[in-house]
Amino acid sequence: MYPAYEPSSLGHTILALVFYIVTAGFILYSLVALYALLRFGRSKVVGILVSVFYLIMATSLYTAAIIKLNAIRF
Amino acid sequence: MHWPKFQQELFPGQQPEERIYLVLHIHWIVLASRILIWLMFAAFLALGDWLVTTYIPILKTPPYVGYIDLLKSVYVMFLTLGLLIVWVMYYLNIQIITNERVVDITQRSLIHHTISELHLSRIEDVTAEVSGIFGTLLDYGHVYVQTAGETERFIFHQVPNPQAIEKLILDLYEQLPKEEKTKE
C-alpha cells in the first residue's frame, strides 16, 4: 500500500488537488478505452488480457506518482 | 447495460451459414507510423531530462526535483494511455467481407462506433487505389465500393493488398445468383 495523503500546507493541498483532477481525467479516459475494447472487440480473451495488463501498468504508474507527490515538501 | 460475451458473432446480424472470406485491418505500416509518433512523445521525456541536466541543473536539486519527478510520472501515465488508445483504435477498426455482404466497422473515437454494411447484390463498381511511394512499395491503399442508387461510396482506408480485395469483392458478386444482382 502506498502512504495515505497527508497535506502539509496550502501549497501542497493545491498541488494535490491539481494532481487528482488530472488523474481523474486519466482514469476516466482509461475506463472509456477499456470499455470500448471489451464492448466492441472481436475477441473477449484478447480484450481481457490487454485490460488486465493495462490496469496493472496504470496502477503501478499511479502508485509511483502518488509516492512522488507525497515526497514533495513545502 | 452490455456485458462482454465470450462467444459472440463477428458483427451484428451475422448469419450462422454466412461464410467470412476476409477480415481487414489497416496496413501495419499505418499502425507503425502512429506508434512512431507515440515514440516521439516518449522521446520528449528523455530529451527533457537531458535538457534539464545540461542547461538547467538546478532543477535536479531539491525542492525542484520533486516537481520534475511528479511531472514525469504523470506524463508517463498519459503516454501509456496514448499507446492503449492507438492500439484500441487499430483493433476496433475492421472491414469484413463475407459471401453475402461487406461490413465496415469504424471506431472514429473511443465513443463513436459505426457499423455500415452493404449487400453484395447492391454493388455497382469496385475501385482499388494505390498511391505514393510507401503505398506502391508496401502494397496498401484504398478500396472504393460504389453502391447502386447511393451517392456515398463505401471506402476501406489504407488496407493491405487493395487489388486482391477488389478482385475478391467482384468475384463474390459474380458468384451471386443472377436474379440477386443489381438490375442495370
Side-chain angles (χ1 to χ4, degrees):
Chain A
M1 279 294 286
Y2 54 83
Y5 171 62
E6 292 170 14
S8 54
S9 67
L10 178 64
H12 201 221
T13 306
I14 292 168
L15 180 69
L17 193 65
V18 171
F19 170 78
Y20 283 116
I21 288 170
V22 170
T23 308
F26 168 78
I27 292 169
L28 187 71
Y29 234 83
S30 299
L31 290 178
V32 170
L34 295 179
Y35 178 77
L37 176 63
L38 291 168
R39 170 80 171 78
F40 303 117
R42 272 190 297 150
S43 165
K44 296 305 167 201
V45 176
V46 171
I48 288 168
L49 284 176
V50 170
S51 300
V52 168
F53 181 69
Y54 177 76
L55 286 174
I56 291 168
M57 290 268 295
T59 309
S60 310
L61 291 168
Y62 174 73
T63 309
I66 289 283
I67 290 168
K68 301 272 169 58
L69 174 69
N70 285 338
I72 294 173
R73 290 282 170 263
F74 280 82
Chain B
M1 185 72 191
H2 177 91
W3 294 101
K5 290 180 281 183
F6 283 88
Q7 292 289 327
Q8 78 160 30
E9 52 205 19
L10 202 53
F11 58 90
Q14 183 184 343
Q15 301 300 312
E17 70 279 4
E18 197 166 1
R19 190 170 164 198
I20 291 164
Y21 280 88
L22 206 58
V23 178
L24 291 163
H25 285 279
I26 53 168
H27 194 272
W28 64 265
I29 194 73
V30 183
L31 175 67
S33 66
R34 289 173 191 172
I35 290 175
L36 195 69
I37 293 168
W38 179 85
L39 282 172
M40 281 167 63
F41 279 97
F44 285 148
L45 200 65
L47 184 70
D49 222 28
W50 176 78
L51 284 174
V52 165
T53 310
T54 313
Y55 297 105
I56 329 166
I58 194 169
L59 292 180
K60 283 279 181 185
T61 57
Y64 309 108
V65 69
Y67 297 106
I68 298 291
D69 284 348
L70 179 63
L71 201 64
K72 282 198 291 192
S73 288
V74 173
Y75 189 74
V76 171
M77 278 165 60
F78 279 92
L79 266 182
T80 314
L81 174 62
L83 188 61
L84 176 77
I85 290 171
V86 165
W87 186 79
V88 166
M89 296 300 283
Y90 166 78
Y91 184 67
L92 296 184
N93 276 288
I94 51 172
Q95 287 88 36
I96 303 154
I97 299 169
T98 75
N99 59 334
E100 289 183 16
R101 60 189 129 181
V102 176
V103 182
D104 182 18
I105 302 175
T106 306
Q107 193 76 28
R108 291 187 199 283
S109 70
L110 289 177
I111 50 171
H112 189 170
H113 182 81
T114 54
I115 302 174
S116 328
E117 64 173 66
L118 169 66
H119 200 274
L120 289 176
S121 64
R122 297 186 64 215
I123 288 173
E124 276 205 334
D125 181 43
V126 186
T127 310
E129 181 189 86
V130 177
S131 61
I133 296 169
F134 286 107
T136 308
L137 288 176
L138 298 167
D139 194 18
Y140 73 92
H142 310 310
V143 176
Y144 303 98
V145 183
Q146 182 71 54
T147 61
E150 298 266 342
T151 49
E152 202 175 328
R153 289 190 295 183
F154 218 72
I155 306 172
F156 294 174
H157 291 282
Q158 293 170 321
V159 286
N161 219 343
Q163 278 99 352
I165 294 166
E166 177 203 13
K167 188 175 181 309
L168 175 69
I169 295 173
L170 290 173
D171 287 349
L172 288 170
Y173 176 77
E174 289 303 322
Q175 286 169 20
L176 287 176
K178 201 164 187 176
E179 61 273 14
E180 275 192 36
K181 289 182 188 174
T182 307
K183 287 179 183 128
E184 293 178 30

